[in-house]
């Protein structure tokens, strides 16, 4: 209670200080700005969004503090009340995300992926709305974008254009249309308010991070501001508009939620180039998968930085298990394909789609009609929304691959060595392994074939939340040390884990074996590219043979494990 009162008093002081300093700064900046109207919008948005954020955070904190006060820890009554508070606060957080819009929607989408860290009430609330019920721009606003970008209205460009969007996301919405040549296309239109809110969000995050560090010196995330500034030149915006990268470090009811930073590219031409580069990487570096991974074809003559016209693809959403089954595809095969595709991108291409949540991936039968041995249709993965990619330099990519190889094979020494190479240090390598796998250290180094599998029961979930809460300061320090690109890899892992868990109704040894194989292949290929003699090349070749034997042994163990479960069930 004393802590709550202290935070409340600190919040009041912050508010008064922010108001007095902010007014003077705003007047001066607006007067000297190249674009006074836009700058005025920014200075109007920043205080409003800051007040919303502060009030929501304070309300959530007070609700937990007072609702659980006096209830015995671990009692049935406390657990019942806690679930009720979770539900109320999840709704409050959802409302905040929708009211602020933009990258706050990304926050909600990320929380929806954290089912093993975040209380179920938050996951269910965000998952039900954030992936497919984002704010929508009016048709008049869409026409404004078209007039500004192409000089004509949609109905003057397309043979048909549906004014009602098929879907709306945090940055843009998608409309179905038909070109003058009769091609059915999907047209992605950027929300008109995005640049203003992005700048406001940047300013709000910068203020909050710096202020929290002054009040609580151990809470030092000022490096995030530097990382944001480094990303600013990539944005195509007016001089007074700053590009935004979101950092959310969410703590609710005694658990650490998630830290993630994401660079949201507002130039759709960059997104289009990313999609083409992604497919080219598969054709060049992973030809065995090139037919199985696809991105919609871009209509460059009908695309600009704020409009993106693409091939329309009719397919099932990645988590729509029933529709996938109706298409004659096994969800298990889809999970394997997703794991293979992203493992290849991460460990071999070094060019990674970093926003693979459920709304950004579709599935359809492989167009050539190929079927599996048992007659099921083979899946093709359709990747959407290529705005957020990250490149891994060679040392980081290989060290990260070597780390995942060690995790899959429960090699404690290699886990330590490669975690240290990525910045975790001698003191936090075990914690880093736990964050990557969502498993405690004793399970990470367990030699059992299924040592990384999360069973998905309440016991597993409670254990993970307990560890997250217990190691709050250490996790903060670890996230400060890790390379920025690895922070995005953590967020990507969360998204992929949520998708595969939905497809398989839990995690799977098989997906970990796929990760182990591809990460190991990447390490061996890197060694081969740097071999200095025939003898060293022969040694690396033998290492590859040993790897195949180990993987085969783990596969045998997996089959035996599945057979045993079948007999016992």
């Amino acid at each position: 209670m004393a802590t709550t009162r202290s935070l409340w008093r600190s919040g009041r002081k912050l508010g008064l200080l922010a108001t007095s300093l902010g007014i003077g700064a705003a007047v001066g900046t607006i007067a000297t700005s190249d674009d006074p109207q836009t700058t005025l919008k920014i200075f109007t948005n920043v205080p409003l969004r800051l007040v919303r954020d502060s009030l929501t955070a304070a309300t959530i904190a007070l609700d937990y503090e007072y609702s659980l006060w006096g209830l015995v820890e671990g009692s049935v009554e406390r657990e019942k009340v806690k679930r009720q508070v979770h539900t109320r606060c999840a709704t409050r957080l959802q409302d905040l995300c929708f009211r602020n819009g933009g990258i706050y929607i990304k926050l909600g989408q990320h929380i929806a992926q954290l089912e093993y860290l975040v209380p179920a009430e938050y996951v269910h609330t965000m998952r039900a709305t954030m992936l497919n019920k984002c704010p929508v721009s009016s048709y008049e606003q869409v026409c404004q974008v078209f007039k500004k970008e192409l000089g004509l209205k949609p109905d003057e460009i397309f043979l048909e254009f549906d004014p009602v969007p098929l879907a709306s996301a945090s940055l843009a919405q998608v409309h179905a249309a038909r070109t003058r040549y009769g091609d059915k296309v999907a047209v992605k239109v950027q929300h008109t308010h995005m640049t203003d809110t992005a700048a406001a969000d940047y300013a709000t995050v910068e203020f909050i991070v710096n202020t929290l560090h002054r009040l609580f010196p151990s809470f030092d995330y000022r490096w995030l501001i530097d990382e944001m500034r480094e990303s600013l030149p990539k944005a195509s915006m007016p001089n007074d508009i700053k590009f935004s990268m979101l950092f959310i470090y969410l703590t609710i009811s005694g658990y650490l939620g998630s830290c993630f930073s994401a660079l949201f590219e507002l130039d759709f031409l960059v997104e289009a180039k990313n999609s083409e580069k992604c497919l080219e990487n598969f054709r060049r570096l992973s030809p065995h998968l090139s037919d199985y991974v696809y991105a919609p074809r871009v209509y460059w003559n009908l695309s600009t930085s704020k409009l993106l016209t693409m091939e329309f693809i009719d397919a099932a959403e990645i988590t729509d298990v029933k529709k996938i089954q109706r298409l004659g595809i096994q969800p298990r095969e889809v999970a394997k394909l997703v794991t293979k595709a992203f493992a290849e991108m991460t460990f071999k291409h070094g060019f990674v789609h970093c926003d693979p949540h459920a709304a950004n991936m579709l599935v359809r039968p492989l167009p050539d009609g190929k079927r599996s041995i048992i007659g099921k249709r083979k899946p093709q993965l359709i990747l959407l929304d290529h705005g957020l990619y990250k490149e891994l330099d060679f040392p980081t990519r290989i060290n990260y691959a070597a780390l995942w190889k060690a995790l899959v094979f429960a090699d404690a020494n290699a886990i330590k060595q490669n975690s240290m190479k990525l910045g975790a240090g001698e003191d936090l390598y075990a914690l880093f392994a736990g964050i990557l796998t969502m498993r405690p250290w004793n399970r990470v180094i367990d030699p059992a074939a299924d040592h990384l599998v999360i069973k998905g029961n309440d016991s597993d979930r409670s254990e993970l939340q307990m560890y997250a809460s217990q190691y709050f300061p250490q996790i903060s320090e670890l996230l400060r040390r890790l390379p920025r690109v690895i922070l995005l890899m953590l967020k990507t892992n969360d998204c992929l884990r949520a998708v595969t868990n939905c497809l398989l109704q839990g995690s799977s040894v098989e997906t970990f074996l796929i990760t182990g194989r591809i990460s190991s292949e990447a390490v061996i290929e890197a060694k081969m590219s740097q071999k200095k003699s025939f003898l060293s090349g022969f040694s690396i070749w033998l290492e590859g043979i040993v790897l195949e034997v180990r993987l085969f042994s783990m596969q045998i163990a997996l089959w035996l494990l599945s057979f045993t479960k079948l007999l016992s069930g």
Side-chain angles (χ1 to χ4, degrees), residues 525-537:
E525 288 171 6
K527 289 181 178 180
M528 278 299 225
S529 70
Q530 297 175 325
K531 70 179 186 296
K532 297 180 179 180
S533 66
F534 172 80
L535 187 60
S536 63

Side-chain angles (χ1 to χ4, degrees), residues 107-375:
L107 164 62
Q109 291 174 346
H110 189 57
I111 291 174
Q113 318 298 326
L114 301 177
E115 56 190 322
Y116 292 107
L117 284 180
V118 179
E121 291 79 7
Y122 285 88
V123 172
H124 294 158
T125 299
M126 298 302 173
R127 192 170 287 179
T129 57
M130 290 296 167
L131 295 181
N132 53 17
K133 295 183 180 178
C134 295
V136 176
S137 293
S138 67
Y139 182 61
E140 288 72 21
Q141 291 172 316
V142 170
C143 289
Q144 289 174 15
V145 175
F146 267 89
K147 287 286 289 183
K148 183 176 181 181
E149 296 299 307
L150 296 176
L152 297 170
K153 292 182 179 180
D155 57 3
E156 297 173 321
I157 297 173
F158 296 99
L159 189 64
E160 299 173 9
F161 187 90
D162 191 344
V164 179
L166 293 170
S168 183
S170 54
L171 306 183
Q173 61 192 45
V174 178
H175 293 259
R178 193 173 297 278
T179 68
R180 295 292 178 182
Y181 298 98
D183 298 337
K184 189 172 183 180
V185 294
V187 185
K188 187 174 180 179
V189 185
Q190 192 174 118
H191 293 310
T192 55
H193 63 273
M194 271 312 303
T195 53
D196 294 344
T197 58
D201 293 335
Y202 174 89
T204 302
V205 172
E206 182 176 30
F207 175 79
I208 291 173
V209 169
N210 285 326
T211 302
L212 283 174
H213 176 65
R214 294 189 191 98
L215 290 174
F216 311 102
S218 62
F219 188 98
D220 189 1
Y221 290 96
R222 290 173 298 171
W223 52 267
L224 281 166
I225 307 304
D226 297 333
E227 176 67 12
M228 291 187 209
R229 290 196 185 103
E230 288 177 14
S231 69
L232 295 183
K234 295 184 179 181
S236 301
M237 299 185 189
N239 292 334
D240 294 315
I241 305 296
K242 292 183 177 180
F243 199 40
S244 176
M245 183 178 70
L246 174 63
F247 165 73
I248 299 296
Y249 193 81
L250 181 66
T251 307
I252 300 175
S253 186
Y255 77 94
L256 170 66
S258 169
C259 165
F260 89 102
S261 61
L263 173 65
F264 299 112
E265 179 58 71
L266 299 180
D267 188 340
F268 287 170
L269 294 179
V270 172
E271 177 178 340
K273 292 174 184 176
N274 286 345
S275 70
E276 294 193 341
K277 182 176 179 179
C278 173
L279 294 186
E280 176 58 26
N281 282 344
F282 275 100
R283 285 190 290 267
R284 185 168 53 90
L285 302 172
S286 307
H288 59 290
L289 279 182
S290 61
D291 290 338
Y292 295 87
V293 180
Y294 190 72
R297 180 167 60 90
V298 176
Y299 287 72
W300 289 97
N301 62 319
L302 297 174
S303 298
T304 71
S305 63
K306 292 180 173 57
L307 288 173
L308 182 58
T309 304
M310 304 163 287
E311 169 189 6
F312 185 93
I313 296 179
D314 186 14
E317 289 190 7
I318 195 78
T319 53
D320 191 343
V321 175
K322 291 183 178 178
K323 185 172 182 179
I324 289 172
Q325 290 173 330
R326 287 198 300 270
L327 291 172
I329 300 171
Q330 291 180 301
R332 174 173 161 270
E333 293 301 312
V334 177
K336 288 167 58 179
L337 176 57
V338 170
T339 304
K340 288 177 184 177
F342 278 87
E344 293 276 340
M345 274 193 272
T346 303
F347 304 128
K348 294 188 177 182
H349 306 175
F351 186 67
V352 188
H353 187 310
C354 290
D355 199 17
H357 62 70
N360 285 343
M361 293 189 283
L362 304 175
V363 180
R364 69 180 179 183
L366 197 63
D368 66 6
K370 288 183 181 178
R371 293 178 180 265
S372 64
I373 297 175
I374 61 175

